[in-house]
Amino acid sequence: MRLAVISDEIDQDLGRAADAAVACGFTGIEVRSAWNVPPHELTGEDLGRITAELDARGLAVAGFCPPALKTPRPETARDVAAAREVLVRAIARARVLGAPHVRIFTFYRDGDPDPVGAAKAAKEVLDGVETDGVKLLVETGTRTNTPTMELVLRFLDAAGVPGLGVLWDPGNSVFSGMDPDPFPAEYELGKDLIGHVHVKDPVGTTGYVRLGDGDLPWAAIVERLRADGYTGWLSLETHWRIGRVLDQRQRDTPWGDAFSAGGREASVACMHRLRELVDG
């Protein structure tokens, strides 16, 4: 297993975030926002700076995290085109960075999850999109139509799009209120499709805490991943801040100084804990 951290959980300055990752023994950075620029709006110059900062420290790009399909379900051709544009821009940026995957969502739900309806809309968005070797991973997203592994699998089956994988975020399953105990049952359902794992620790639906202090048995999860030969990334998405709680808007649009403030101290504490779990 390889350890990464989503950069803006530490700092909007990607260089400072990278320094913290190296100091904690991590080998990858998952790119979201940098220098107060949202991921899907990063310019060519921004991408060059990111590459230079990571190369200088020997860090790999573990993934790219745009808000692709993180919108209400499209109802018009214009909505579909707008969602497709974000995805196409994200894939282009991931390709420049050498990111192995782009994380995608399944649209915000209005009421109960509807993975089949979301799959139909997603298929429209994905139609004709060239990924050129960049894998698309569907996240178990808190407010989307797939907050649990079971719902992601229903989405994938209905979409019928070859090559889609799963970004497993059990913290989102708990925080959504849809599955307070996603391990090991949810993991067993989709383990063969998991291409990436986000690490954070919720307390029910109220907020996130220091890794190891919340509802998820991360020691058992890490041990099971190791036993099953998982060789992908464990990527910290802290979402915990000392002395404050991220609000829904900040969780939905996780970029900028207002989101990252206080993230360094909290993320470093969690990185040390994750490093200890992986080292045994």
Side-chain angles (χ1 to χ4, degrees), residues 36-171:
N36 286 293
V37 180
H40 52 302
E41 296 177 7
L42 290 166
T43 66
E45 182 179 353
D46 295 327
L47 298 174
R49 290 177 68 191
I50 291 170
T51 298
E53 295 282 12
L54 299 186
D55 285 352
R57 296 163 176 82
L59 292 169
V61 176
F64 189 62
C65 281
L69 281 62
K70 197 177 186 182
T71 65
R73 191 188 306 178
E75 297 182 354
T76 67
R78 179 177 291 183
D79 293 340
V80 170
R84 183 181 293 131
E85 174 65 15
V86 171
L87 178 59
V88 168
R89 287 165 61 90
I91 291 170
R93 284 155 177 74
R95 199 179 298 121
V96 170
L97 291 170
H101 73 263
V102 167
R103 178 270 309 275
I104 67 172
F105 291 98
T106 56
F107 309 111
Y108 288 128
R109 66 179 184 271
D110 183 12
D112 292 334
D114 180 10
V116 174
K120 181 179 178 181
K123 193 168 184 177
E124 280 191 81
V125 173
L126 293 169
D127 185 42
V129 173
E130 296 291 338
T131 61
D132 291 337
V134 178
K135 194 168 182 65
L136 301 182
L137 299 182
V138 180
E139 180 164 339
T140 48
T142 301
R143 297 206 305 119
T144 72
N145 285 285
T146 56
T148 69
M149 183 69 78
E150 187 268 336
L151 291 167
V152 168
L153 295 182
R154 286 172 58 189
F155 171 90
L156 293 176
D157 184 62
V161 176
L164 293 181
V166 176
L167 193 161
W168 187 45
D169 189 328

Side-chain angles (χ1 to χ4, degrees), residues 6-13 16-17 32-33 36 238-247 249-251 253-268:
I6 299 180
S7 56
D8 57 11
E9 292 283 352
I10 302 173
D11 201 299
Q12 279 297 308
D13 185 295
R16 290 198 293 262
R32 198 159 53 195
S33 64
N36 286 293
T238 319
H239 267 30
W240 168 55
R241 302 290 184 268
I242 299 171
R244 73 184 184 97
V245 177
L246 297 175
D247 60 31
R249 181 186 61 78
Q250 290 166 333
R251 294 192 305 271
T253 55
W255 43 75
D257 285 331
F259 171 79
S260 300
R264 179 185 177 86
E265 184 179 2
S267 293
V268 166

